[in-house]
Amino acid sequence: MREQFTVRAAVSVVIMSIVLSVLLTSGAAFLLQNNGGGTFIRPVTLIFGESVLLVPVFIFLARRTNNIRRVLRINAVPATTLGITVIFSLGVVVWADEVDRLITSVFPPPDWLPQLLRADDPVSLLLIFLGAVILAAVAEEILFRGFLQSVLENHWKNVTRAVLITSLLFAVIHFNPSGMIQIYLLAILMGYLAWRTNSVFPSIVMHGINNGLAFTFINWGEYLEPWYAWRGHVSPVILIGGAVLTVIGFRRLSNSRG
């Protein structure tokens, strides 16, 4: 990256993006509530909030670079790399789920949190999937792994520090104390993927798979728990399978050329 952006500027843009998203989402929810938005308030505001998340970043970069895609790591990767990422991600997310189950058994999440992904009808189901799984993965990965982590890597010349700090901010802005450890660990792995491949697409894949798992279990958990879980935890068989996929995926990614 030839462009030089200060750490303060990058962090300020990220915070501005989050604040703007929260304010506009709150305003949209208020307007929908007063105009009979009903069951579509949550999915519509979710989509809107994720859609505006990148606006400050693009405005900031438009004046400072002629190659926004490169700065944000929107770089193509081989299909084989994405396939390996899927294998790696499937293994990682089941272990992340078990970490989350262990923590929430001691520190339960607020009751309202699962409701964000719960759908009441087919249209809401589709809209929540679009907002929480697809748009969230794309927008948040471009903002954090594409923009912020890239700037920190370039400024500090220390990938590990850049990944850890980016991941910490990413975990904090989710405002989920009981899930912070799980989010932080996943963010570190997503940071590794973005750095290793110099692209946000692999981290988008992992992010989407993780959110997709949460979305699936919140809406159809009663059908999946009998074969997926054991005594309130992820089944040992699935955990073993997850470990195998994680090791295979990590080795293939480590040996690939991106």
Side-chain angles (χ1 to χ4, degrees), residues 2-13:
R2 290 191 298 272
E3 296 83 357
Q4 295 290 329
F5 310 122
T6 67
V7 172
R8 178 178 296 181
V11 172
S12 298
V13 170

Side-chain angles (χ1 to χ4, degrees), residues 62-75:
R63 296 183 176 185
R64 294 166 174 82
T65 179
N66 294 321
N67 196 337
I68 293 178
R69 289 183 59 185
R70 179 171 58 81
V71 173
L72 297 179
R73 277 179 165 156
I74 306 177
N75 301 317

Side-chain angles (χ1 to χ4, degrees), residues 6-256:
T6 67
V7 172
R8 178 178 296 181
V11 172
S12 298
V13 170
V14 171
I15 293 175
M16 186 183 304
S17 299
I18 296 165
V19 171
L20 178 66
S21 178
V22 171
L23 290 177
L24 292 180
T25 299
S26 300
F30 178 78
L31 291 174
L32 288 172
Q33 183 70 45
N34 290 337
N35 289 277
T39 59
F40 294 108
I41 292 176
R42 281 186 295 112
V44 170
T45 53
L46 180 61
I47 290 173
F48 183 64
E50 295 295 344
S51 299
V52 301
L53 193 61
L54 294 176
V55 171
V57 177
F58 282 111
I59 293 175
F60 175 80
L61 292 178
R63 296 183 176 185
R64 294 166 174 82
T65 179
N66 294 321
N67 196 337
I68 293 178
R69 289 183 59 185
R70 179 171 58 81
V71 173
L72 297 179
R73 277 179 165 156
I74 306 177
N75 301 317
V77 294
T80 53
T81 298
L82 293 179
I84 296 168
T85 301
V86 171
I87 293 173
F88 182 56
S89 300
L90 289 173
V92 165
V93 295
V94 297
W95 277 95
D97 184 27
E98 177 59 21
V99 170
D100 185 58
R101 288 170 183 253
L102 289 170
I103 294 172
T104 55
S105 65
V106 180
F107 303 104
D111 294 335
W112 56 265
L113 192 59
Q115 298 304 318
L116 292 176
L117 300 182
R118 192 178 302 280
D120 302 316
D121 57 76
V123 176
S124 295
L125 189 76
L126 179 61
L127 292 176
I128 291 175
F129 178 82
L130 175 62
V133 178
I134 298 178
L135 287 180
V138 172
E140 292 173 17
E141 288 310 301
I142 291 176
L143 179 63
F144 285 92
R145 257 59 66 177
F147 175 66
L148 181 58
Q149 183 177 308
S150 296
V151 172
L152 298 186
E153 287 177 24
N154 188 59
H155 186 83
W156 289 336
K157 309 301 181 184
N158 186 321
V159 174
T160 300
R161 183 183 177 193
V163 169
L164 293 178
I165 297 301
T166 301
S167 300
L168 180 60
L169 182 58
F170 179 78
V172 169
I173 63 96
H174 277 78
F175 307 110
N176 179 10
S178 63
M180 186 171 294
I181 294 177
Q182 178 219 27
I183 295 170
Y184 184 59
L185 294 175
L186 278 171
I188 290 173
L189 292 175
M190 291 187 291
Y192 164 77
L193 286 174
W195 165 76
R196 182 69 184 83
T197 63
N198 192 31
S199 172
V200 293
F201 289 115
S203 63
I204 288 173
V205 168
M206 177 175 282
H207 196 149
I209 289 175
N210 178 71
N211 288 12
L213 179 69
F215 171 81
T216 300
F217 271 87
I218 285 174
N219 288 284
W220 298 288
E222 65 271 22
Y223 305 109
L224 302 174
E225 283 286 325
W227 64 265
Y228 177 82
W230 179 74
R231 296 184 178 180
H233 297 277
V234 180
S235 166
V237 174
I238 292 179
L239 287 175
I240 292 172
V244 172
L245 292 179
T246 300
V247 172
I248 292 174
F250 183 77
R251 287 181 174 176
R252 293 286 300 275
L253 286 166
S254 298
N255 294 329
S256 69

